[in-house]
């Protein structure tokens, strides 16, 4: 009678291969990256948003008029803020793409990511130097060194992850073109820092070229896309790349991670809403000695002197909250976020980050009434661009294809007209307020505050107003003449939304 066979200890029961035990050990040392990515998204959104603080802290004394010098100073700081905000979002987009390739993390990758985040947290200081001394090369040099360091750490993450394939996404880990994919990833990660390296060199003798090169970091993916399109038109289509390389590209039509886009956007909106109250806590808590001497010990009178600032805070918070509500409503209907939608979302968030500046301007109306027209116009412009890029993002989703939006939000869907009204409300309201200040400049502050009060109430009644408007549009053709024939009705059917 033969003895039962015992399994070979060198073989894995599941994989029946000597490497199975090693793979199990590797798997035991790895973790899912969800929490690390949430931490990174939160930190990047905070860093991108606090870039506005040096702009909002631009000191304009009550004796100063909002003349051309102040306008030039403010415009320069806003332009530098927009550029640096967009560069931070480029780093976030590269981080997002990178961790579409890296599927899991271990302790080394987590520490490398922390080193990358630590370098990113230093960017607001370098930005403060840039806006305070725009013509001094040190601020530009330090900012570029930070971007170069971020790229170097991300390159280390790429090299480390490809050295241990079990950390990669399954599709790339099983691919025969892994080396080609690694070169492609390194090229994309390092081309932005390479431009910043050139910008750091130019800052020593011709600083305007440095700003131009840093701006190219933002639009380089789209320049490459346009160059590829021109090359295909001139020399004809080339053989498509390996499937494993297609995962990590900056193709305008490739979907981003919708969850990470939402997380980053929510972080920006949350930080902006928080920054509004910090200014009140810093400047509107009265001093005890001032209360005793100036207001005869009455804290109520002392706080009532800051009443306009509290009204400006509530109006600004309502604006931030409703813009987030519109963004939330849009992404409820979005199935995937394309690269063009990501760019438009980034531009919208850049102006959302400027809303503390709008609050700063409107809260100063009582102290500087002679500058109220310029302050109101600056605030209207910030709100208009923050909201109009949301509308453009929805339009891009509509034009991209049926797989980008839920059927209810597409042409002819039940929510199409309501979404259009919701996303068009703030652009129309801010544009109308800006236009009214051109004709009624004496009442610019009243017009702006009336807009801030009217828009939230309009949001509450928006669905009812849309239903009434649609019903009116359906009744008017019947009053104007005979009903159209079946062919005309079929031609117009995709453009008319279904009843809400």
């Amino acid at each position: 009678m033969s003895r039962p066979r015992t399994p070979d200890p060198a073989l894995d029961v599941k994989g029946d291969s000597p490497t199975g035990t090693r793979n199990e050990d590797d798997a035991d040392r790895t973790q899912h990256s969800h929490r690390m990515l949430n931490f990174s998204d939160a930190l990047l959104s905070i860093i991108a948003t606090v870039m506005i603080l040096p702009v909002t802290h631009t000191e304009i004394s009550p004796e100063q008029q909002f003349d051309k010098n102040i306008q030039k100073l403010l415009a320069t700081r806003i332009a530098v803020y927009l550029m640096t905000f967009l560069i931070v979002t480029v780093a976030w987009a590269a981080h997002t793409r990178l961790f579409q390739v890296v599927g899991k993390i271990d302790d080394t990758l987590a520490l490398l990511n922390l080193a990358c985040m630590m370098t990113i947290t230093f960017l607001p200081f370098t930005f403060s130097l840039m806006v305070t001394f725009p013509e001094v090369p040190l601020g530009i040099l330090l900012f570029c060194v930070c971007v170069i360091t971020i790229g170097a750490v991300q390159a280390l993450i790429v090299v480390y992850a490809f050295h241990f394939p079990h950390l990669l996404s399954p599709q790339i880990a099983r691919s025969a073109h892994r080396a080609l994919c690694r070169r492609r990833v390194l090229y994309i990660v390092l081309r932005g820092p390479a431009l910043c390296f050139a910008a750091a060199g130019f800052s020593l003798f011709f600083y305007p070229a440095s700003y131009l090169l840093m701006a190219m970091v933002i639009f380089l993916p789209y320049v490459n896309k346009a160059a590829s399109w021109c090359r295909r038109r001139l020399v004809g289509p080339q053989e498509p790349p390996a499937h494993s390389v297609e995962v990590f590209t900056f193709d305008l039509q490739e979907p981003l991670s919708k969850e990470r886009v939402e997380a980053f956007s929510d972080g920006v909106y949350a930080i902006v809403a928080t920054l509004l109250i910090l200014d009140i806590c810093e400047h509107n808590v009265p001093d005890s000695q001032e209360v005793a001497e100036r207001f005869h010990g009455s804290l109520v009178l002392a706080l009532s002197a800051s009443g306009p600032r509290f009204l400006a805070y509530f109006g600004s918070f309502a604006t931030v909250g409703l813009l987030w509500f519109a963004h939330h409503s849009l992404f409820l209907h979005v199935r995937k976020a394309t690269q063009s939608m990501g760019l438009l979302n980034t531009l919208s968030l850049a102006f959302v980050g400027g809303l503390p500046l709008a609050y700063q301007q409107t809260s100063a109306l009582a102290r500087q009434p002679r500058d109220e027209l310029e302050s109101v116009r600056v605030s209207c412009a910030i709100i208009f661009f923050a909201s109009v890029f949301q509308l453009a993002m929805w339009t891009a989703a509509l034009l991209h294809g049926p797989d980008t939006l839920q059927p209810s939000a597409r042409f002819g869907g039940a929510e199409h007209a309501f979404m259009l009204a919701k996303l068009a409300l703030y652009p129309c309201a801010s544009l109308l307020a800006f236009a009214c200040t051109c004709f009624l400049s004496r009442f610019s502050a009243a017009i702006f505050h009336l807009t801030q009060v009217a828009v939230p109430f309009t949001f509450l009644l928006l669905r009812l107003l849309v239903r009434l408007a649609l019903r009116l549009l359906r009744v008017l053709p019947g009053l104007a003449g005979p009903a159209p024939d079946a062919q005309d009705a079929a031609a117009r059917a995709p453009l008319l939304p279904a009843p809400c």
Side-chain angles (χ1 to χ4, degrees):
M1 185 172 176
S2 61
R3 295 174 60 186
R5 294 182 60 186
T6 57
D8 190 348
L11 295 178
D12 179 50
V13 176
K14 294 183 180 179
D16 291 333
S17 65
T19 60
T21 304
R22 186 183 65 183
N23 291 336
E24 278 189 358
D25 293 339
D26 290 338
D28 289 340
R29 290 193 296 267
T30 61
Q31 315 105 37
H32 289 289
S33 58
H34 303 308
R35 186 172 181 183
M36 188 195 74
L37 296 182
N38 291 336
F39 170 77
S40 303
D41 289 338
L43 189 143
L44 283 162
S45 62
I46 292 170
I47 295 302
T49 309
V50 299
M51 295 284 193
I52 196 62
L53 291 180
V55 183
T56 59
H57 290 168
T58 302
E59 294 293 338
I60 303 176
S61 62
E63 293 78 18
Q64 283 183 297
Q65 289 188 349
F66 207 84
D67 55 11
K68 290 185 177 180
N69 292 330
I70 297 298
Q71 292 175 6
K72 183 179 178 180
L73 173 65
L74 207 55
T76 302
R77 294 191 170 191
I78 291 174
V80 176
Y81 154 73
L82 290 175
M83 183 189 68
T84 51
F85 183 98
L86 294 174
I87 289 177
V88 173
T89 56
V90 167
W92 168 81
H95 192 273
T96 301
R97 296 296 194 190
L98 177 58
F99 281 91
Q100 287 177 344
V101 173
V102 179
K104 293 184 178 181
I105 62 170
D106 59 7
D107 291 346
T108 304
L109 271 185
L111 292 175
L112 285 174
N113 185 72
L114 281 177
C116 182
M117 295 299 110
M118 181 187 69
T119 311
I120 289 174
T121 57
F122 197 69
L123 286 175
F125 172 72
T126 62
F127 169 68
S128 299
L129 291 178
M130 289 171 64
V131 298
T132 308
F133 307 101
E135 300 179 3
V136 177
L138 182 60
I140 303 173
L141 188 64
L142 289 176
F143 184 86
C144 292
V145 168
C146 285
V147 176
I148 293 168
T149 306
I150 293 166
V153 175
Q154 288 184 340
L156 281 175
I157 292 175
V158 173
V159 172
Y160 181 84
F162 275 87
H163 185 69
F164 298 100
H166 66 277
L167 298 173
L168 300 173
S169 64
Q171 181 183 5
I172 296 179
R174 295 191 299 264
S175 173
H177 304 279
R178 213 161 50 221
L180 180 63
C181 183
R182 181 181 59 188
R183 289 196 297 270
R184 173 65 177 167
V185 173
L186 286 173
Y187 165 72
I188 293 175
V189 166
L190 292 176
R191 61 186 178 185
L195 282 174
C196 285
F197 182 82
F202 275 103
S203 67
L204 300 176
F205 56 90
F206 188 61
Y207 72 90
S210 300
Y211 287 107
L212 180 62
L213 287 170
M214 286 191 290
M216 283 186 62
V217 174
I218 303 165
F219 300 103
L220 186 61
Y222 305 94
V223 172
N224 285 343
K225 178 69 178 179
S228 300
W229 181 84
C230 293
R231 192 184 306 116
R232 287 195 301 269
R233 299 284 293 182
L234 291 175
V235 301
Q238 298 179 349
E239 184 179 354
H243 182 66
S244 59
V245 183
E246 293 178 357
V247 176
F248 194 91
T249 68
F250 277 100
D251 187 2
L252 289 175
Q253 305 304 324
E254 185 186 352
L256 292 164
S257 170
K258 177 189 170 185
E259 292 75 16
R260 292 200 66 183
V261 172
E262 290 177 333
F264 180 78
S265 303
D266 290 344
V268 171
Y269 282 104
I271 298 303
V272 169
T274 307
L275 290 178
L276 297 176
I277 196 61
L278 292 181
D279 192 67
I280 288 183
C281 294
E282 182 180 358
H283 298 292
N284 292 93
V285 177
D287 182 74
S288 57
Q289 184 176 359
E290 183 184 9
V291 171
E293 295 177 357
R294 184 180 171 187
F295 299 100
H296 308 290
S298 175
L299 184 59
V300 175
L301 290 177
L303 291 176
S304 63
S306 301
R309 297 182 69 90
F310 289 104
L311 291 177
Y313 160 74
F314 288 116
S316 299
F317 188 93
T319 302
V320 175
L322 291 176
L323 285 173
W324 172 85
F325 175 67
H327 188 277
H328 166 71
S329 301
L330 169 62
F331 272 83
L332 281 178
H333 299 289
V334 169
R335 286 178 168 175
K336 66 178 183 180
T338 64
Q339 187 70 22
S340 56
M341 292 172 62
L343 175 63
L344 293 169
N345 184 61
T346 298
L347 293 172
S348 174
L349 293 177
F351 284 97
V352 168
L355 287 173
L357 176 62
Y359 161 71
Q360 196 87 358
Q361 295 294 313
T362 54
S363 64
L365 293 181
R367 294 181 287 111
Q368 298 169 283
R370 60 188 174 186
D371 296 333
E372 69 176 29
L373 179 60
E374 289 79 6
S375 300
V376 166
R377 287 180 175 177
V378 168
S379 301
C380 288
I382 292 173
I383 295 171
F384 172 77
F385 284 111
S387 55
V388 80
F389 281 118
Q390 287 186 346
L391 181 60
M393 183 166 44
W394 183 67
T395 305
L398 283 174
L399 297 177
H400 183 266
D403 56 341
T404 306
L405 284 175
Q406 300 286 350
S408 60
R410 296 201 296 267
F411 292 107
E415 294 292 316
H416 176 73
F418 182 58
M419 281 302 304
L420 175 61
K422 187 183 292 186
L423 294 170
L425 181 57
Y426 257 118
C428 293
S430 56
L431 194 61
L432 179 63
F434 187 93
C436 289
T437 60
C438 297
F439 301 103
L440 303 170
S441 57
R442 294 176 56 188
F443 306 100
S444 57
I447 292 171
F448 183 77
H449 291 313
L450 179 63
T451 304
Q452 284 188 313
V453 172
V455 170
F457 284 101
T458 307
F459 261 102
L460 292 175
L461 302 174
L462 190 59
R463 187 173 290 274
L464 176 62
L465 295 175
V466 169
R467 287 178 176 175
L468 292 176
L470 290 177
R471 185 161 298 180
L472 185 62
L473 286 175
R474 290 187 175 91
V475 170
L476 285 179
L479 297 177
D485 55 22
Q487 185 176 0
D488 293 339
R492 287 199 299 267
L495 301 179
L496 289 176
C500 293

